[in-house]
Amino acid sequence: MNQESATNTARVLIEALPYIQRFSGKTIVIKYGGNAMVDENLKQGFARDIVLLKQVGLNPVVVHGGGPQIGKLLERLGKESRFVDGLRVTDSETMDVVQMVLGGLVNKEIVNLINRYGGRAVGLTGKDGGLIHARRLTHVRASENADAPEIIDLGHVGEVSGIDPAVVHMLDSGDFIPVIAPIGVGEDGAAYNINADLVAGKMATVLGAEKLILLTNTTGVLDPQGKLLTGLTARQVDELIADGTIHGGMIPKIRCALDAVNSGVKTAHIIDGRVEHAVLLELFTDKGVGTLIRS
């Protein structure tokens, strides 16, 4: 390493120092999904990031998705994937596949990667330790041919009715890294598939997290000229939704982030998971790589 390269490395470390000091001992909930979950370099980079966060004193909690992986296995089994307004219709047979993929294949791959790089990750679903309590999601859609809205049965698609964080606190205190699949359990013992963004947001709120980080396949929130917007307040986000600047698939993520910051999470971040080491860049550098939202 030449002198210039060494000096640049030192500058990076010095820039990170005040952030490490500020966030030491704090809980950071990270929703892991999108390209970061399928690209090999990004997967390994994410695992290293999580290990480093734990090593410097933060408490990372990972909540992951796995929609594409579920779709691939259903296709191999000859079962068609059906969606209503972006929500997967989940009958009992499909729910079995969801649990196999999210609670098994995907969860254990993430755990294995983190452990390979020196972390101590433990995989969980909402069933473990009564972590995620769920209820069936009632999906209502306006009907063009009827006066009353249409209520659509999505099967085992759920929403969070409560979270008991005891098992997460126990793992954090033991220097383990919780890796959580977004499967909840109802009062009747039935399993429910829940949107991972929503689980991450609720988890951040219940844990009193310093930050909620949502990895996406987009740069973040952009203005009409394509410039990245960051440092947004809840009021500014509401205005951007009202004027159409924030639209389409970004709205649910923004709503999730807003709910979290309005419920006590210090800041929420929507960041580009296609950028290698995006989590470290967002947390430990002055510029970051995404959109920050605060209450």
Side-chain angles (χ1 to χ4, degrees), residues 7-295:
T7 300
N8 288 336
T9 300
R11 287 198 185 104
V12 170
L13 294 172
I14 292 300
E15 183 179 341
L17 178 60
Y19 296 104
I20 293 172
Q21 292 171 324
R22 185 191 309 172
F23 302 140
S24 180
K26 305 292 186 182
T27 296
I28 311 293
V29 176
I30 302 155
K31 186 270 177 163
Y32 178 46
N35 278 26
M37 282 188 72
V38 294
D39 179 279
E40 281 302 321
N41 288 333
L42 294 176
K43 284 160 62 173
Q44 293 181 38
F46 176 82
R48 290 191 186 102
D49 289 359
I50 297 302
V51 173
L52 191 148
L53 293 184
K54 192 69 175 181
Q55 196 68 42
V56 299
L58 284 72
N59 292 318
V61 175
V62 178
V63 177
H64 65 83
Q69 293 91 333
I70 293 168
K72 285 181 180 177
L73 183 53
L74 287 170
E75 184 179 351
R76 283 170 53 193
L77 295 172
K79 188 170 179 65
E80 181 184 1
S81 291
R82 290 181 52 231
F83 294 88
V84 175
D85 298 334
L87 299 169
R88 184 186 298 278
V89 177
T90 308
D91 58 19
S92 294
E93 192 177 52
T94 301
M95 191 65 217
D96 288 343
V97 172
V98 168
Q99 292 191 85
M100 287 167 52
V101 174
L102 292 184
L105 296 172
V106 173
N107 188 274
K108 300 315 173 191
E109 181 185 24
I110 298 166
V111 166
N112 185 50
L113 266 178
I114 292 172
N115 291 346
R116 188 196 303 173
Y117 289 110
R120 296 204 300 166
V122 175
L124 302 168
T125 74
K127 291 183 173 183
D128 295 306
L131 176 59
I132 303 172
H133 301 278
R135 57 177 169 256
R136 186 183 292 265
L137 177 68
T138 300
H139 185 62
V140 180
R141 182 168 63 178
S143 176
E144 297 178 0
N145 302 317
D147 295 332
E150 182 182 6
I151 298 176
I152 300 173
D153 182 10
L154 298 171
H156 290 261
V157 176
E159 59 185 350
V160 177
S161 61
I163 288 177
D164 180 350
V167 67
V168 175
H169 288 315
M170 181 188 70
L171 292 172
D172 280 341
S173 66
D175 285 332
F176 292 97
I177 299 168
V179 178
I180 302 168
I183 297 168
V185 61
E187 290 185 359
D188 59 354
Y192 290 95
N193 183 18
I194 309 175
N195 178 278
D197 289 342
L198 297 179
V199 171
K202 295 290 187 184
M203 193 69 63
T205 298
V206 170
L207 293 174
E210 179 77 13
K211 293 178 179 293
L212 166 67
I213 297 177
L214 304 175
L215 270 72
T216 69
N217 284 343
T218 63
T219 309
V221 177
L222 306 177
D223 69 11
Q225 288 72 46
K227 181 181 177 182
L228 181 67
L229 297 173
T230 191
L232 300 174
T233 65
R235 177 180 294 181
Q236 287 173 316
V237 169
D238 286 336
E239 292 171 353
L240 291 168
I241 292 173
D243 69 17
T245 299
I246 298 174
H247 60 277
M250 182 59 74
I251 289 180
K253 291 188 182 296
I254 285 286
R255 295 273 188 218
C256 174
L258 276 180
D259 286 346
V261 298
N262 287 335
S263 300
V265 177
K266 294 288 181 63
T267 56
H269 306 248
I270 297 175
I271 70 172
D272 192 344
R274 300 169 299 180
V275 175
E276 196 166 2
H277 301 297
V279 173
L280 296 186
L281 292 170
E282 182 67 13
L283 285 174
F284 296 148
T285 66
D286 296 333
K287 291 185 178 180
V289 291
T291 296
L292 179 149
I293 300 166
R294 58 181 184 270
S295 59

